[in-house]
Amino acid sequence: MPIVPAAPDAIRRAAQALVRGNIVAFPTDTVYGLGANALDPRAVAKVFAAKERPRFNPLIVHVPNLAEAAEYALINEPGRRLAGAFWPGPLTLVLKKRSTCGIADLVSAGLDTIALRVPAHKVAQELLAKAALPIAAPSANRSGRISPTTAEHVEAELGDLPAMILDGGPCPLGIESTVVSIVGQDPALLRSGAIPRESIERVLGVPLAAAKAAERGSSPGQLARHYAPNTPLRLDAISVAPDEALLAFGGDVPAGAPRVTLNLSPSANLEEAAAKLFAALRELDQARASAIAVMPIPGGGLGEAINDRLRRGANRG
Ligand code: TXA
Ligand code: MG
């Protein structure tokens, strides 16, 4: 069994596994990642294979700090501002890659840009320090499925494909990083995430642009179908049928509550809801319900990322 508590010795062994070209799963502030040495194309290929991820979908590279990020990418003024405000933390910056950076081309799917982030999680930071490598790590789920927020979720998704699954307990934020491209003229939001759009716009002093079609194509976290449970999701439910499971939010739960109800946040707190979302979807997916009815969740702040994941999870296309 590859789940190992993230004690110092286990982190050291995980770092060695990365150095040897193997893949390991580890906790971050957002979700669990499936990591590989970003400098080693064969190691990176193992990540794509384990996830059955299309090769055109580029990976995020995790680095310990801004100084190291600057070795791999050109960091312009808005980039510096955002990094200063949010790193370490759940912000991924898409930047122009340095031609000398040594990161495997497969990581950015052949693009001349690279997505970098500095995770705010003790285990992730210790792993980066011990491995002394940039770590390419997408979320540790099979492609198109719900991101894992516990070590057990990773094992359910990937079994013993990772050499190790470092168990650091549930991820504190529970939803992926916000991805912002600062390559073009105007900073663009490529994926909503754990840092609300409003917070980023406050730091930039300008509204975030929508992702252009070309960027969307290169950021398939934006693909319509993603984050999907096997049970259909029925969104904005104000009533619930007896054979449905219910994903509730707030205190105003519809009557006739079914066999299985989980409440993302009885007090209607969006941070609590984001942290619980993926685990709740997994649990309700086990209920053999005809559908998962999801109560409306307000759209501002973290609600944008929560609704984005729900919408794409609901898309059966
Ligand atoms: O919170 C997170 O970001 C987690 C943890 C493990 O760090 N990682 C994560 O990785 O969610 P992944 O691979 O599931 O999502 C990466 C997103 C995708 O939408 C991908 O298309 C986009 O980042 N991306 C990566 N490199 C890019 C690039 N060069 N240009 C545009 N989008 C890029
Ligand atoms: Mg993912």
Side-chain angles (χ1 to χ4, degrees), residues 189 192-193 196-198 298-309 311:
L189 183 65
S192 58
R197 163 204 295 278
E198 296 87 335
L302 275 177
E304 183 175 0
I306 295 172
N307 281 299
D308 168 76
R309 304 307 188 266
R311 258 195 316 276

Side-chain angles (χ1 to χ4, degrees), residues 31-32 51 53 57 60 137-148 176 191 221 226-227 309:
V31 301
Y32 275 72
K51 283 185 57 102
R53 181 175 176 118
N57 189 355
I60 294 172
S139 51
N141 50 279
R142 301 258 175 182
S143 188
R145 298 233 333 130
I146 304 166
S147 296
E176 299 85 349
R191 178 179 73 184
H226 217 84
Y227 309 105
R309 304 307 188 266

